């Protein structure tokens, strides 16, 4: 959902996660855990997770850096603030599934946060690119619906059978 309503983020981070992005990984999402969808955006992502059978989803317009909710985090964080998101995730120590650009794994901040992680980061690779819905001032805008970068689902403490999973 790549959006968060504080002074930290700018309009270019207002890209909402389409329902199919969560449907694609529904078999990997633990339905019995209390899920914190930590980045509010337009609020739809939390509803999508509930529709997929998650028992409880906390999805409120609150500050990620000042909050600690649920048993695990499933979200699409603001890509421009991942430098702060990654250490915060490690500090919280909760299992997570995050949609982020594939290039994030090459950053120093990702490496510093999770190089020594036990268990290690695992990755789910989508079959095709995820095309996000752009918002401007909270309203959807028409775009060519073409995303020019690839995203992965970065997972930690989820217990996937393999460290890299390619979706069919």
């Amino acid at each position: 959902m790549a959006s968060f309503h504080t002074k930290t983020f700018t309009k270019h981070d207002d890209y909402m996660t389409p329902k199919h992005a969560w449907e694609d990984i529904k078999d990997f999402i633990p339905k019995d855990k209390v899920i914190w969808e930590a980045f509010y955006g337009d609020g739809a992502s939390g509803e999508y997770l509930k529709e997929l059978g998650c028992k409880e989803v906390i999805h409120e317009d609150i500050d990620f850096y000042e909050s600690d909710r649920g048993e695990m985090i499933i979200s699409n964080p603001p890509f421009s603030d991942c430098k702060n998101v990654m250490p915060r995730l490690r500090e919280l120590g909760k299992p997570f599934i995050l949609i982020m650009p594939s290039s994030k794994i090459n950053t120093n901040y990702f490496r510093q946060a999770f190089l020594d992680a036990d268990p290690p980061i695992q990755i789910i690779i989508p079959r095709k690119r995820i095309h996000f819905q752009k918002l401007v001032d909270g309203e959807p805008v028409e775009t060519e619906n073409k995303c020019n970068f690839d995203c992965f689902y970065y997972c930690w403490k989820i217990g996937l059978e393999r460290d890299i999973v390619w979706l069919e």
Side-chain angles (χ1 to χ4, degrees):
M1 138 150 22
S3 177
F4 195 58
H5 302 288
T6 69
K7 64 183 189 281
T8 310
F9 305 105
T10 58
K11 290 180 186 178
H12 74 274
D13 260 339
D14 286 339
Y15 287 88
M16 304 303 111
T17 309
K19 185 176 184 178
H20 74 81
W22 298 127
E23 289 172 336
D24 289 349
I25 62 162
K26 68 179 183 242
D27 295 336
F28 301 103
I29 298 173
K31 309 294 189 303
D32 62 335
K33 303 286 185 197
V34 177
I35 294 169
W36 180 23
E37 209 303 14
F39 298 95
Y40 192 75
D42 65 358
S45 192
E47 292 303 314
Y48 298 154
L49 292 167
K50 288 177 189 174
E51 290 172 17
L52 293 175
C54 298
K55 80 170 188 175
E56 185 177 346
V57 178
I58 300 167
H59 194 157
E60 302 165 349
D61 196 4
I62 57 176
D63 191 327
F64 169 71
Y65 301 102
E66 295 179 10
S67 304
D68 182 358
R69 306 282 173 98
E71 297 173 83
M72 69 175 299
I73 297 169
I74 299 179
S75 196
N76 173 4
F79 299 160
S80 69
D81 200 45
C82 286
K83 165 174 59 173
N84 296 313
V85 170
M86 300 317 294
R88 174 68 174 144
L89 287 168
R90 186 64 192 264
E91 173 188 315
L92 290 171
K94 296 177 187 285
F96 64 75
I97 300 174
L98 296 181
I99 299 174
M100 296 188 303
S102 57
S103 60
K104 293 297 180 188
I105 201 158
N106 293 322
T107 62
N108 283 333
Y109 57 81
F110 194 104
R111 176 183 290 265
Q112 288 172 353
F114 288 96
L115 179 65
D116 65 344
D118 186 26
I121 290 289
Q122 296 180 304
I123 296 173
I124 301 172
I125 302 173
R127 210 170 160 257
K128 57 186 179 178
R129 286 187 175 161
I130 299 170
H131 299 291
F132 302 94
Q133 171 65 57
K134 171 116 176 97
L135 297 184
V136 173
D137 296 324
E139 296 297 321
V141 295
E142 292 300 318
T143 62
E144 291 182 28
N145 203 25
K146 306 254 185 214
C147 187
N148 63 359
F149 56 88
D150 294 308
C151 285
F152 292 160
Y153 299 90
Y154 293 88
C155 306
W156 190 47
K157 295 185 177 180
I158 301 298
L160 301 175
E161 289 184 23
R162 296 187 321 259
D163 288 341
I164 298 176
V165 175
W166 281 273
L167 294 178
E168 296 294 325

